[in-house]
Amino acid sequence: MSTETATPAVTEPRDVVIIGSGPAGLTAAIYTARANLAPLVIEGEPSSSSDQPGGQLMLTTEVENFPGFPDGIMGPELMGNFRAQAQRFGAEFLTEKVTKVDLSARPFKVYVRDTVYEAKSVIVSTGARSLMLGLEAEQRLLGHGLSTCATCDGFFFRGHHIAVVGGGDSAVEEATFLTKFADKVTLIHRRDTLRASKIMQERALSNPKIEFLWNTVVDDLVGDDRLEGAVVRNVKTGETTTLPVTGLFVAIGHRPNTDLFKGVLDTDENDYLITQPGSSATNIEGVFACGDVQDHTYRQAITAAGSGCMAAIDAERWLEAQH
Ligand code: NAP
């Protein structure tokens, strides 16, 4: 028995449909638009944390490491610039969420509610999201003392006492990295053993600037428009204290936004899309992937933008070869 209630409207096949609008997707849009491929960018929905148009930079404040902006630029402004540049060359935007894809035959089908956008090639740039603690205060303080990226934000905490949450390689690596800036880094872990690799553990355990709070979870964050402290609880004793930190880095893992492609595009053991080495090609001809959805190593706006450029060039060459 079919559960379909209406026949979806089907559009004329486009050369390129780009799914996702962070630095990777928007760079792919700029390049494919300038190659006269009239890309359609399905940019996501503003209300959603994982499908946020503009991607993770919309959740940050100042970006100081994007080349070309010697005085820094706000994350949302940077993404606004990317988008305007893509629009200038004719990229079209749809502020909706993709509900389903069918990559089993060409033209590919990208479903947005009851419309099917047909595409000769698809660029997947759906990004990844940082796992968060689930506290109400996180939304208010993200970018205001609360961060998910030590490489991006460590510099702002010179001379401060800050904390990192997590016990894996990310948390331990970030804590060690942050000692370059902070006077003191408290690593807050919910158990009494680290999951991180031995060598990283040893490095952190022997670092005099790192203090460990074992068996401890963060229950709340203090501060209205800037982080002033973290309310922490020892899960063994139940004792609650407020740690007077001005920065808190949440490093409890990331998840790529790959649910749409499960069982269709090849992924690694952590669900990241696999692209061929030195290329943005996936296991399906004509489908390309770029940005954090296929990169769990670098996760930077500039590397995502670089891979978006690769995907655009790969798609353009592939389309050219089809004719
Ligand atoms: P991860 O290995 O999944 O570790 C996540 C950590 O966060 C764990 O210690 C976990 O605690 C803790 N955690 C999870 N949810 C939590 C919650 N709600 N509240 C408090 N703590 C929570 O993630 P990752 O560190 O991001 O690493 C991901 C992968 O990348 C791993 O394979 C890692 O080896 C790799 N990586 C490698 C490097 C490197 O080699 N340079 C650097 C970074 C990451 P439990 O331990 O209790 O589960």
Side-chain angles (χ1 to χ4, degrees):
M1 196 179 79
S2 168
T3 52
E4 302 277 289
T5 49
T7 312
V10 182
T11 66
E12 278 295 299
R14 319 195 48 126
D15 282 325
V16 187
V17 168
I18 298 171
I19 310 175
S21 59
L26 293 179
T27 301
I30 293 167
Y31 273 76
T32 50
R34 294 192 79 256
N36 278 338
L37 295 173
L40 172 70
V41 184
I42 306 179
E43 62 178 344
E45 272 175 356
S47 56
S48 157
S49 61
S50 61
D51 300 298
Q52 163 98 24
Q56 295 175 79
L57 281 191
M58 300 302 282
L59 307 172
T60 61
T61 47
E62 193 150 25
V63 179
E64 287 192 328
N65 57 6
F66 200 86
F69 297 91
D71 301 321
I73 182 167
M74 299 306 272
E77 190 187 350
L78 179 62
M79 294 328 295
N81 289 350
F82 270 58
R83 194 178 187 280
Q85 194 171 350
Q87 263 180 323
R88 181 179 151 213
F89 297 111
E92 253 184 80
F93 285 83
L94 189 65
T95 313
E96 300 258 17
K97 203 173 152 167
V98 172
T99 43
K100 191 169 94 174
V101 292
D102 179 355
L103 307 178
S104 61
R106 297 203 293 261
F108 304 119
K109 293 184 173 59
V110 180
Y111 292 74
V112 176
R113 287 197 264 178
D114 48 9
T115 304
V116 181
Y117 292 87
E118 288 200 336
K120 295 178 195 164
S121 71
V122 169
I123 295 178
V124 179
S125 49
T126 45
R129 58 194 183 279
S130 300
L131 297 181
M132 300 302 290
L133 300 169
L135 305 172
E136 210 175 286
E138 281 178 320
Q139 274 198 336
R140 183 177 79 239
L141 293 170
L142 194 60
H144 303 280
L146 180 70
S147 172
T148 55
C149 178
T151 312
C152 319
D153 299 331
F155 196 72
F156 299 119
F157 295 94
R158 270 168 301 173
H160 291 223
H161 175 197
I162 61 180
V164 176
V165 188
D169 278 330
S170 295
V172 171
E173 188 175 65
E174 295 208 346
T176 306
F177 171 76
L178 287 166
T179 60
K180 288 185 185 187
F181 313 102
D183 276 355
K184 180 175 169 186
V185 178
T186 302
L187 191 129
I188 304 168
H189 184 35
R190 62 185 178 183
R191 295 187 296 128
D192 61 1
T193 45
L194 295 169
R195 179 181 294 278
S197 56
K198 283 281 171 282
I199 185 157
M200 300 248 232
Q201 288 194 27
E202 278 161 21
R203 214 172 284 155
L205 288 162
S206 63
N207 188 320
K209 281 187 167 182
I210 303 180
E211 167 195 82
F212 290 82
L213 267 189
W214 304 109
N215 300 310
T216 301
V217 292
V218 178
D219 275 346
D220 203 1
L221 304 176
V222 184
D224 291 331
D225 46 17
R226 182 104 226 131
L227 183 79
E228 289 164 11
V231 180
V232 295
R233 175 171 47 89
N234 184 304
V235 292
K236 296 263 165 151
T237 63
E239 192 192 339
T240 295
T241 46
T242 299
L243 209 59
V245 287
T246 49
L248 185 84
F249 288 78
V250 178
I252 61 174
H254 292 84
R255 289 284 173 278
N257 299 316
T258 47
D259 287 354
L260 281 173
F261 312 102
K262 268 211 172 101
V264 177
L265 293 181
D266 287 348
T267 54
D268 67 12
E269 67 281 10
N270 293 317
D271 295 335
Y272 285 85
L273 298 186
I274 296 174
T275 48
Q276 288 166 22
S279 150
S280 64
T282 67
N283 56 304
I284 295 186
E285 247 197 69
V287 180
F288 304 88
C290 52
D292 286 12
V293 73
Q294 52 84 59
D295 165 30
H296 54 81
T297 308
Y298 301 105
R299 295 197 290 246
Q300 299 300 300
I302 189 70
T303 49
S307 73
C309 166
M310 287 168 62
I313 292 173
D314 289 342
E316 186 191 349
R317 289 183 182 160
W318 182 81
L319 286 165
E320 190 70 37
Q322 301 306 301
H323 291 146

